Amino acid sequence: DTEVTQTPKHLVMGMTNKKSLKCEQHMGHRAMYWYKQKAKKPPELMFVYSYEKLSINESVPSRFSPECPNSSLLNLHLHALQPEDSALYLCASSHPGRNTEAFFGQGTRLTVV
Amino acid sequence: KQEVTQIPAALSVPEGENLVLNCSFTDSAIYNLQWFRQDPGKGLTSLLLIQSSQREQTSGRLNASLDKSSGRSTLYIAASQPGDSATYLCAVGAAGNKLTFGGGTRVLVKP
């Protein structure tokens, strides 16, 4: 099973809403990631969790709050977003280490209105 | 700072022709290089992972090479099919499990 599952697939939220994106994997991976992808652009790294601890935050605004409650789950809590935050949010996982393959989910298409 | 470039940005070929996709990177201190496929509005599907110590990796009709010293990787897709139409992204892996992506090559295989 090389599947990373993201929910929901689509999300429309207002600028005052609070919502969460969820990501789950059962491959035993201990590194999990959030990427943001704007239309016709490559994915950009937001956060990396390694062994359930936040190891990299790529200077992401605090309106994005990641959480890794256990080794299989990764959440991204959203609050007071702006329309320019509309994008495809991708979750990925891998074994930590030098030569490991990253597996991506199908993404959540987020629209902020 | 690592920069990854993919040329061309778009490619259109007739069915049956071989595809050659290029990826270049500026910092040779990489852990690995991974090729992905992305269909419109979808997530990324991993195609091949080449470790930094490897020169080549093959899977079916796909073959990827890596020349770390010159900062280049090439993805070859043999005998292209319309189902190969997608965007192909290369990503360089480095410390902290960070992946840096190229801008992608959008491929159209015409029947």
Side-chain angles (χ1 to χ4, degrees), chain B residues 40-95:
Chain B
K42 303 292 186 184
L44 278 64
T45 300
S46 178
L47 298 174
L48 288 169
L49 170 73
I50 311 176
Q51 299 177 13
S52 60
S53 59
Q54 295 179 313
R55 300 278 298 187
E56 196 174 7
Q57 191 67 261
T58 297
S59 176
R61 292 185 295 115
L62 307 180
N63 174 277
S65 65
L66 174 64
D67 185 341
K68 220 172 69 156
S69 60
S70 67
R72 292 182 184 179
S73 177
T74 302
L75 178 66
Y76 301 90
I77 303 178
S80 62
Q81 304 166 359
D84 294 329
S85 298
T87 296
Y88 291 82
L89 294 152
C90 69
V92 171

